[in-house]
């Protein structure tokens, strides 16, 4: 079997005395869309942020495409990576935030090319061309000159997706990408994510959109209280959950 | 929805010939007349009172020593502000650093330079030679390789520059810090997530946005600095006020010459204010999306004939978004 895109082994994370992740182990294969479900406070977002090393893990190991995140092993020691090496690892993983976090002082196109030009030092003309293609892909080519404040929430999130894709990541992380949107704008973002999944992108999606998990997800992981409770196909986990904790959550969400 | 639109339309047709009469504000007129009256009286008094000696003001307004003093004032203001702003950025970044030594040192710097009178600092730098007669380059605590007389380095100009810019750095540090802290942590995270280093994040994401918060108080500081430069009169650097005071100590026309200085300070402040406006507008990019888009007033709404296909209610729901030019 080939190297999984993400391998997490016994990941622990605490904030002070509060233990948020109590040993998460899971794998996501290349091309898979994995949906992380669970009640708020269960550690889904924290886990996602650990994958991108936005949070430092306290114990356990994380690999993205076979590369250890945040550390370098020599002998039986783990050396923490320097800032520029961490930055390189981050650039290989795209991240989409709940609050979009677009740069408000830059236009949609400038947001998209910021990573390729400033971080990856790619040719600007080429970055502009590719940036326009990406904006076209998320259906916003005509809005390239707009500043984030001139776009609706759904449009901002689609620009944010284009910005993450501009770095040509191997893995895309979505942290509740539709939770901050008005209900009528959720669909346009999920459509973009769906077509991204269809193009073969490996995606890990923290979401409360059960419909998306069911239709687009290959695997669903249910988390509660910092632990992975149940994993399986969407039909199994959502339709016929084994664990009582999952059943209790779904009965509330789907009611 | 269509029903509501129809009702609104009906009302509008029914009452189409009604005229809107704006409310009248008598108090505003009274206040305006009073202010204009006081202004007229002041101007009249100023120009009919011969003791103002406007002829002397006119004589010295463009006099060579005054203009040269003005140039020195502008140079001192410009360089001190430049160094002050750069120092301020360094101090702010150190204050926010997770290294406790750096943040404490930055705090101590601000504490010291904000906590002692600027006049004392200026005199201190000017008389540095009394404390440290020679300045040496060499191995710390070890042998000296090069030694120079402090008095040859510390001229009135360098003392003024040191005093003003070090003092300004302490104030700018607080201003920049408030600007940086006004930017949401989500911006830093997004920058990190696309692989930016901390320096890139600061330079490309945080500081450009923080400028919006930093510019207005920095404008205050610049205008303040323009006038604080007059304090260097105590160490004998011939900036604007010093030059003027030298003249009036000879011809005893104190008031007219102080008016000359005041006119120049006011003129420069006016120019600075205009400059600030343009700088603010530059950093406002992306933050004022609806500029120029005003809601229709009742007067113009009457002239709009809503078509049946496009009810007015639907148009109001989706405002056209124009990119700012």
């Amino acid at each position: 079997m080939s190297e999984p895109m993400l391998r997490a082994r016994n990941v622990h994370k605490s904030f002070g005395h509060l233990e948020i992740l109590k040993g998460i182990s899971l794998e996501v294969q290349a091309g898979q869309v994995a949906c992380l479900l669970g009640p708020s406070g269960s550690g889904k977002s924290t886990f996602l942020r650990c994958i991108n090393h936005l949070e430092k893990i306290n114990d356990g190991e994380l690999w993205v495409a076979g590369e250890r995140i945040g550390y370098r092993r020599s002998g039986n020691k783990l050396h923490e990576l320097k800032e520029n090496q961490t930055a390189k690892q981050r650039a290989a993983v795209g991240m989409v935030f709940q609050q979009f976090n677009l740069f408000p002082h830059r236009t949609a196109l400038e947001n998209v090319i910021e990573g390729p030009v400033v971080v990856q030092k790619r040719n600007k003309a080429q970055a502009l061309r590719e940036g326009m293609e990406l904006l076209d892909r998320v259906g916003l080519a005509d809005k390239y000159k707009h500043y984030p404040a001139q776009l609706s929430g759904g449009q901002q999130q689609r620009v944010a997706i284009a910005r993450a894709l501009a770095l040509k990541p191997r893995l895309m992380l979505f942290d509740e990408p539709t939770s901050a949107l008005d209900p009528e704008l959720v669909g346009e973002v999920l459509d973009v994510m769906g077509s991204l999944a269809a193009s073969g992108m490996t995606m890990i999606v923290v979401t409360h959109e059960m419909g998306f998990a069911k239709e687009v997800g290959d695997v669903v992981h249910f988390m509660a209280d910092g632990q992975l409770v149940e994993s399986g196909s969407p039909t199994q986990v959502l339709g016929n959950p084994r664990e009582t904790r999952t059943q209790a959550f779904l009965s509330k969400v789907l009611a | 929805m269509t029903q509501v639109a129809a009702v609104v339309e009906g009302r509008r047709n029914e009452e189409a010939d009604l005229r809107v009469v704006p409310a009248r504000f008598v108090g505003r007129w009274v206040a305006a007349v009073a202010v204009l009256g006081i202004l007229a009286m002041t101007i009249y008094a100023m120009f009919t009172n011969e003791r103002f000696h406007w002829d002397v003001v006119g004589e010295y307004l463009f006099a060579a020593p005054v203009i040269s003093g003005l140039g020195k004032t502008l140079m001192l203001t410009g360089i001190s502000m430049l160094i002050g702003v750069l120092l301020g950025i360094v101090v702010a970044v150190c204050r926010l650093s997770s290294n406790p030594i750096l943040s404490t040192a930055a705090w101590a710097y601000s504490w010291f330079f904000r906590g002692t009178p600027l006049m004392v600092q200026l005199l201190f730098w000017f008389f540095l030679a009394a404390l440290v007669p020679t300045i040496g380059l060499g191995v710390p605590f070890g042998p000296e390789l090069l030694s120079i007389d402090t008095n040859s380095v510390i001229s009135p100009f360098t003392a003024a520059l040191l005093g003003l810019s070090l003092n300004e750095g302490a104030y700018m540090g607080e201003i920049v810090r408030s600007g940086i802290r006004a930017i949401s942590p989500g911006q830093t995270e997004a920058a990190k997530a696309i692989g930016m280093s901390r320096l890139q994040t600061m330079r490309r994401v945080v500081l450009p946005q923080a400028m919006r918060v930093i510019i207005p108080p920095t404008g205050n500081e610049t205008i303040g600095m323009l006038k604080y430069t007059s304090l260097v009169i105590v160490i004998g650097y011939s900036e604007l006020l010093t030059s003027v005071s030298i003249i009036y100590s000879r011809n005893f026309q104190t008031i007219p010459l102080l008016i000359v200085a005041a006119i120049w300070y006011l003129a420069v402040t006016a120019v600075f204010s205009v400059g600030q406006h343009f700088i603010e507008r530059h950093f406002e990019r992306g933050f004022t999306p609806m500029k120029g888009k005003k809601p229709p007033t009742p007067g113009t709404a009457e002239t709009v004939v809503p078509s049946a296909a496009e009810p007015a209610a639907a148009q109001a729901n989706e405002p056209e978004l124009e990119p700012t030019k």
Side-chain angles (χ1 to χ4, degrees):
Chain A
M1 197 168 147
S2 66
E3 190 74 53
M5 187 56 82
L6 172 77
R7 189 144 75 89
R9 199 186 63 74
N10 195 30
V11 171
H12 284 263
K13 174 69 197 175
S14 305
F15 292 106
H17 292 295
L18 191 63
E19 196 173 27
I20 302 292
L21 298 177
K22 300 169 180 164
I24 303 286
S25 298
L26 62 82
E27 287 188 0
V28 176
Q29 305 303 326
Q32 254 185 357
V33 176
C35 293
L36 296 184
L37 305 182
S40 44
S42 59
K44 311 169 302 263
S45 291
T46 305
F47 180 64
L48 209 64
R49 294 160 58 82
C50 288
I51 298 172
N52 213 0
H53 206 54
L54 286 175
E55 303 289 354
K56 223 182 268 184
I57 57 177
N58 300 111
D59 197 10
E61 294 164 289
L62 276 167
W63 290 268
V64 170
E67 197 176 329
R68 187 188 293 273
I69 292 298
Y71 298 89
R72 176 175 53 81
R73 184 174 173 173
S74 73
N76 55 1
K77 277 188 191 152
L78 284 183
H79 297 273
E80 202 176 333
L81 290 184
K82 291 256 167 58
E83 194 203 340
N84 57 346
Q85 293 162 311
T86 310
K88 210 172 217 171
Q89 289 188 335
R90 285 199 186 112
V93 177
M95 180 135 185
V96 176
F97 299 87
Q98 183 178 348
Q99 298 296 340
F100 332 134
N101 292 345
L102 287 179
F103 305 133
H105 58 307
R106 303 203 186 280
T107 62
L109 184 58
E110 286 169 347
N111 264 280
V112 174
I113 65 164
E114 187 75 4
V117 173
V118 175
V119 177
Q120 297 180 331
K121 314 275 182 221
R122 296 221 301 262
N123 176 280
K124 190 168 180 188
Q126 194 197 337
L128 282 170
R129 212 166 35 242
E130 288 178 10
M132 279 309 288
E133 281 167 21
L134 282 168
L135 283 178
D136 190 39
R137 195 164 150 193
V138 299
L140 290 171
D142 56 328
K143 304 266 192 241
Y144 76 99
K145 252 184 167 170
H146 285 51
Y147 284 98
Q150 297 167 315
L151 300 171
S152 72
Q155 291 170 334
Q156 287 190 52
Q157 194 60 296
R158 281 145 67 196
V159 174
I161 293 173
R163 176 175 72 177
L165 289 174
L167 293 154
K168 308 192 174 163
R170 287 177 288 198
L171 170 65
M172 284 283 285
L173 308 175
F174 293 86
D175 187 5
E176 300 197 26
T178 57
S179 298
L181 296 176
D182 290 342
E184 82 266 26
L185 303 175
V186 169
E188 60 188 74
V189 173
L190 292 182
D191 285 348
V192 168
M193 289 168 64
S195 67
L196 189 60
S199 75
M201 177 61 81
T202 314
M203 294 162 55
I204 304 177
V205 186
V206 170
T207 186
H208 293 296
E209 295 292 330
M210 297 300 150
F212 178 82
K214 210 177 269 177
E215 280 166 39
V216 183
D218 297 309
V219 200
V220 168
H221 300 283
F222 177 75
M223 281 175 71
D225 304 319
Q227 279 164 330
L228 192 60
V229 176
E230 184 167 359
S231 300
S233 70
T235 30
Q236 186 259 304
V237 176
L238 297 176
N240 189 18
R242 271 191 296 264
E243 304 290 330
T244 48
R245 189 74 188 77
T246 319
Q247 288 163 3
F249 173 74
L250 289 175
S251 71
K252 275 184 206 151
V253 174
L254 300 175
Chain B
M1 199 66 195
T2 27
Q3 228 169 8
V4 176
V7 171
V8 171
E9 220 172 300
R11 275 175 62 95
R12 194 176 288 152
N13 288 341
E14 206 172 281
E15 300 168 358
D17 50 352
L18 291 185
R19 200 167 62 89
V20 177
V21 181
R24 282 180 218 291
F25 300 94
V26 181
R28 280 186 199 173
W29 286 101
V30 174
V33 168
V35 168
L36 286 175
I38 292 170
L39 188 68
M41 270 153 61
T42 311
I43 292 174
Y44 179 77
M46 276 173 72
F47 285 93
T48 51
N49 184 343
E50 274 172 17
R51 274 167 290 190
F52 271 94
H53 286 291
W54 289 105
D55 52 325
V56 181
V57 172
E59 187 185 329
Y60 282 100
L61 193 56
F62 296 100
V66 172
I67 295 299
S68 124
L70 174 68
K72 285 175 176 169
T73 289
L74 287 176
M75 184 170 69
L76 212 50
T77 306
I79 301 176
S80 302
M81 275 315 289
L82 186 71
I83 299 176
V85 169
L86 294 177
L87 260 176
I89 293 175
V90 174
V91 170
V93 171
C94 288
R95 264 305 285 277
L96 298 169
S97 155
S98 47
N99 181 336
I101 304 275
L102 277 185
S103 65
T104 311
W107 174 85
Y109 170 83
S110 293
W111 171 73
F112 183 82
F113 284 96
R114 291 198 307 170
T116 50
L118 178 55
M119 178 97 81
V120 172
Q121 291 172 32
L122 286 168
L123 288 168
F124 178 88
W125 290 113
F126 189 57
F127 294 118
L128 189 66
L131 266 182
V132 193
T134 58
I135 298 173
L137 266 179
V139 185
F141 306 109
E144 220 168 71
L145 303 174
L146 178 77
S147 169
I148 33 176
D149 183 12
T150 305
N151 268 335
S152 69
V153 186
I154 300 292
S155 65
F157 176 68
T158 45
L161 209 56
L162 273 170
L164 291 171
S165 51
L166 286 174
N167 185 265
E168 189 55 40
Y171 285 95
M172 281 308 302
E174 290 300 291
I175 292 172
V176 174
R177 189 168 68 102
S178 72
I180 292 175
R181 293 196 48 160
I183 307 308
S184 92
Q187 289 290 308
T188 311
E189 283 194 348
K192 272 187 186 172
I194 60 169
M196 281 193 180
S197 67
R198 254 180 296 185
L199 191 67
Q200 284 171 330
T201 304
M202 194 45 86
R203 245 192 43 230
R204 303 215 30 110
V205 177
V206 176
L207 281 181
Q209 294 181 60
M211 286 309 259
R212 282 182 71 231
V213 181
I214 293 172
I215 293 297
T218 304
N220 264 350
E221 289 294 306
T222 311
I223 289 168
M225 175 65 84
L226 176 71
K227 287 160 302 163
Y228 286 137
T229 54
S230 62
L231 279 179
V232 305
I233 199 166
V234 296
I235 56 175
Y237 181 68
S238 55
E239 46 69 66
L240 181 56
L241 196 66
T242 314
S243 312
V244 163
S245 76
I246 290 170
I247 301 173
Y248 70 62
S249 66
R250 280 197 311 256
N251 66 6
F252 304 109
Q253 298 281 8
T254 311
I255 298 290
L257 277 151
L258 287 177
I259 290 175
V260 167
I263 287 173
W264 279 117
Y265 283 122
L266 277 173
V268 174
T269 301
V271 173
F272 281 179
S273 304
V274 173
Q276 182 181 343
H277 168 77
F278 283 104
I279 296 174
E280 271 178 29
R281 214 172 61 171
H282 172 77
F283 285 107
E284 207 53 37
R285 259 176 326 166
F287 286 91
T288 44
M290 300 306 181
K291 213 184 232 172
K293 202 79 188 167
K294 286 180 193 145
T297 54
T300 57
E302 273 184 6
T303 59
V304 175
V305 185
S307 70
E310 245 182 308
Q315 285 176 329
N317 274 342
E318 212 168 277
E320 259 296 295
L321 296 167
E322 286 284 332
T324 31
K325 272 135 211 156

